[in-house]
Amino acid sequence: MKKLSIYLLTLIISAAMAGCASGSHGSAGGEVTGVSATSWSEPTPYGMVLVSRGSMKVGPQEADSAWNLKADARGVSVDAFWMDETEITNSKYKQFVFWVRDSIIRERLADPAYGGNEEFKIEEDREGNPITPYLNWNKPIPWRNPNEDEARAIESLYRTNPITGVRELDPEQLNYRYETYNHTEAAKRKHRLNPARREYNTDKPVPTDVPLISKDTAYFNDNGEIIRETITRGLTGDFDFVNTYIVNVYPDTTAWINDFENAYNEPYVRMYFSHGGYNDYPVVGVSWEQANAFANWRTDFLRRSLGREGVYIEPYRLPTEAEWEFAARAGVNDNKYPWAGDLPLTEEKGCFYANFKPQEGNYVQDGHLITSRVGTYSPNDFGLYDMAGNVSEWTSTAFTESVSKLTSDLNPEYRYDAAKEDPYKLKRKIVRGGSWKDVAHNVRSDIRMWEYQNEQRSYIGFRCVRSQIGFARGNKIKK
């Protein structure tokens, strides 16, 4: 027993000496060996495919005078990201709309002016200490047999159609509030609180001015109207880079009429978003602002399911223009479309590559009059469906005629958060891929188009991306 004790003591002393020699962070000194950090891997996000990092020449490589298209190809590189394999469907977007509906109803069920049931909102921790209030999603909404107060809270979000007499959701009330932190602006040297860290050139004096910041905010006024403002003021802290938005999330179903004059598209207004037969069709009538709100909600929705604080995930977002084009063309310079080679414009079999308008007035040559179910056509080499045709897709990139000259060749992106008072011209965002109403030329993957960020069209949808948590592989140093 005595020999065993001496042996254990020897092991302990040896381990301690080894720790000192290796320079562990708990020792007083030794060799520098580095300090490890926690690393983690992420599972494949549901319904997404991985687009590995790569480079290609984006933009048209050949001029086309018939379409006033200039050769504007340039080499760029993008890091790896996950991308939705299909466009966001009506079904997935409905989940967002219904979540907003249920959150408003829960707020009102807890509100003393309506239901007054404190169980729908948690305001204290288990010890009874006050905390930031949040909704209790474990408490079910009493859809069946509600009492008088509960019925008043639920019914407050519905209306009776004055023409048809049908009870329906009031889309005007379906507003989603969210906040985003503009990390890019916050990280810029000119926005540092410490003046000495704004200018590194020691030949210049330390700046004495207070940097001006611009941030978006939104709130409801006394009449329940959404007020959006862009505030410009002196920098005070990190919170100045938090932007607040309130967005009505319901799609504009009337786009089917407003986009096409003198056409009988009323059935699409009534059924395209609400009828279950269109569940697997791409959502349309969604603005760039609504698409961003969906991406923010999708991120928070996933975080809630993890149930642990401190778990980091890259946010869902709209793809940059460069990411979208790299993914659509499967990283191949010679691809004008998501498939190899040029689309045979004069052959009927060309219609089976994508959902577009092959000939004037002939929308049905490819078997579809308007949109088609997502994934109807074969995917490209990256496993992505409908990157040409079906619906055009929003990107995160702002449009200007010189956008290609303004952006870097490394993860290129041009972001401009237009203020409410900005000229409408500054509120253009790039859309890609063409749609079911476009001719073959306009569904090419190497050309850009644009739309105003608040417009809602019957031919524009979107899909999301997430940056991959991954690391470049290089030559490992041999020990």
Side-chain angles (χ1 to χ4, degrees):
M1 188 69 180
K2 185 175 180 181
K3 289 183 178 180
L4 179 60
S5 299
I6 295 174
Y7 177 68
L8 290 174
L9 181 60
T10 303
L11 285 178
I12 294 171
I13 294 173
S14 299
M17 292 178 66
C20 291
S22 63
S24 66
H25 61 272
S27 63
E31 296 288 351
V32 175
T33 61
V35 177
S36 63
T38 303
S39 63
W40 64 94
S41 58
E42 58 180 349
T44 300
Y46 178 79
M48 286 186 150
V49 297
L50 179 63
V51 177
S52 298
R53 63 176 61 88
S55 65
M56 70 174 298
K57 289 188 178 296
V58 296
Q61 300 188 52
E62 300 173 358
D64 189 340
S65 58
W67 290 92
N68 193 27
L69 191 65
K70 298 179 181 179
D72 190 29
R74 69 187 188 108
V76 303
S77 296
V78 294
D79 209 342
F81 57 93
W82 301 98
M83 190 176 215
D84 284 323
E85 61 182 353
T86 70
E87 295 141 342
I88 296 298
T89 61
N90 282 321
S91 177
K92 289 182 177 179
Y93 196 82
K94 280 180 191 175
Q95 187 175 357
F96 176 38
V97 171
F98 290 165
W99 185 94
V100 173
R101 175 201 65 183
D102 293 353
S103 66
I104 296 173
I105 289 177
R106 281 186 164 84
E107 285 280 1
R108 293 181 182 177
L109 286 168
D111 188 343
Y114 290 96
N117 189 339
E118 296 179 354
E119 294 183 16
F120 283 96
K121 181 174 282 190
I122 298 174
E123 300 181 350
E124 297 179 347
D125 61 18
R126 295 180 179 179
E127 286 73 34
N129 301 312
I131 58 175
T132 303
Y134 63 93
L135 295 178
N136 181 8
W137 286 88
N138 293 322
K139 177 72 174 175
I141 296 174
W143 297 107
R144 296 183 179 181
N145 303 318
N147 60 37
E148 184 177 345
D149 290 337
E150 291 170 341
R152 184 168 62 252
I154 295 172
E155 291 301 319
S156 67
L157 204 60
Y158 288 79
R159 69 176 187 182
T160 300
N161 189 300
I163 305 300
T164 64
V166 175
R167 174 180 175 269
E168 59 189 17
L169 266 175
D170 181 3
E172 296 296 324
Q173 297 188 58
L174 297 176
N175 300 311
Y176 175 69
R177 181 186 183 278
Y178 70 101
E179 295 180 339
T180 61
Y181 181 69
N182 191 337
H183 205 146
T184 299
E185 289 299 312
K188 290 181 178 179
R189 286 184 180 178
K190 66 179 182 179
H191 290 151
R192 289 175 176 170
L193 284 171
N194 183 354
R197 298 191 65 230
R198 291 185 214 139
E199 178 57 67
Y200 283 7
N201 188 341
T202 55
D203 292 337
K204 296 182 179 180
V206 174
T208 58
D209 59 317
V210 177
L212 290 178
I213 59 92
S214 180
K215 65 174 292 183
D216 293 330
T217 187
Y219 58 91
F220 291 103
N221 65 11
D222 293 338
N223 296 324
E225 300 169 329
I226 299 174
I227 304 298
R228 180 187 170 187
E229 296 179 345
T230 300
I231 300 172
T232 301
R233 68 184 184 202
L235 176 66
T236 60
D238 286 341
F239 190 76
D240 289 331
F241 302 102
V242 176
N243 297 284
T244 304
Y245 301 99
I246 300 176
V247 178
N248 184 275
V249 302
Y250 205 83
D252 183 7
T253 57
T254 67
W256 291 102
I257 289 178
N258 291 303
D259 288 342
F260 301 93
E261 291 190 5
N262 301 318
Y264 183 66
N265 288 338
E266 290 182 21
Y268 305 137
V269 175
R270 291 189 287 267
M271 294 191 296
Y272 187 82
F273 185 66
S274 60
H275 194 284
Y278 287 104
N279 275 350
D280 294 328
Y281 286 66
V283 66
V284 296
V286 173
S287 68
W288 180 87
E289 295 165 351
Q290 290 173 313
N292 275 287
F294 174 90
N296 179 273
W297 165 79
R298 188 176 179 183
T299 304
D300 285 346
F301 194 66
L302 176 60
R303 284 175 178 155
R304 289 189 188 95
S305 71
L306 299 176
R308 292 176 294 172
E309 293 184 4
V311 175
Y312 180 81
I313 60 169
E314 280 292 309
Y316 291 99
R317 54 183 174 83
L318 293 179
T320 66
E321 181 192 29
E323 287 173 333
W324 193 97
E325 183 173 338
F326 180 80
R329 296 168 64 187
V332 179
N333 291 333
D334 294 334
N335 287 356
K336 294 180 181 179
Y337 297 92
W339 49 85
D342 291 343
L343 184 72
L345 303 181
T346 59
E347 299 178 24
E348 292 187 5
K349 67 179 182 180
C351 297
F352 297 105
Y353 286 110
N355 178 16
F356 65 101
K357 184 172 71 170
Q359 298 176 6
E360 183 179 355
N362 189 350
Y363 291 87
V364 297
Q365 188 173 337
D366 57 7
H368 304 281
L369 180 62
I370 55 169
T371 56
S372 59
R373 283 187 175 87
V374 298
T376 297
Y377 298 89
S378 298
N380 70 359
D381 288 344
F382 281 175
L384 299 166
Y385 294 86
D386 300 316
M387 295 299 283
N390 213 15
V391 292
S392 298
E393 299 178 15
W394 290 111
T395 72
S396 62
T397 307
F399 175 81
T400 178
E401 285 75 8
S402 57
V403 63
S404 296
K405 298 178 181 178
L406 295 174
T407 53
S408 170
D409 58 0
L410 172 66
N411 294 320
E413 171 68 326
Y414 176 63
R415 174 176 174 175
Y416 183 77
D417 296 326
K420 181 181 178 181
E421 58 272 15
D422 275 342
Y424 201 37
K425 185 178 181 180
L426 298 179
K427 300 175 183 179
R428 295 177 293 177
K429 307 299 180 186
I430 292 174
V431 293
R432 285 298 200 119
S435 74
W436 57 271
K437 73 166 187 63
D438 288 310
V439 296
H441 175 272
N442 291 342
V443 302
R444 281 174 52 171
S445 305
D446 61 344
I447 59 174
R448 68 166 59 99
M449 293 162 280
W450 59 266
E451 185 54 89
Y452 294 103
Q453 66 184 47
N454 62 342
E455 272 289 0
Q456 299 159 295
R457 299 294 192 183
S458 60
Y459 46 85
I460 298 181
F462 69 101
R463 70 180 80 206
C464 295
V465 298
R466 260 177 63 188
S467 296
Q468 185 205 20
I469 300 175
F471 307 94
R473 295 182 179 179
N475 295 324
K476 189 175 181 180
I477 298 174
K478 295 182 179 180
K479 295 183 179 180

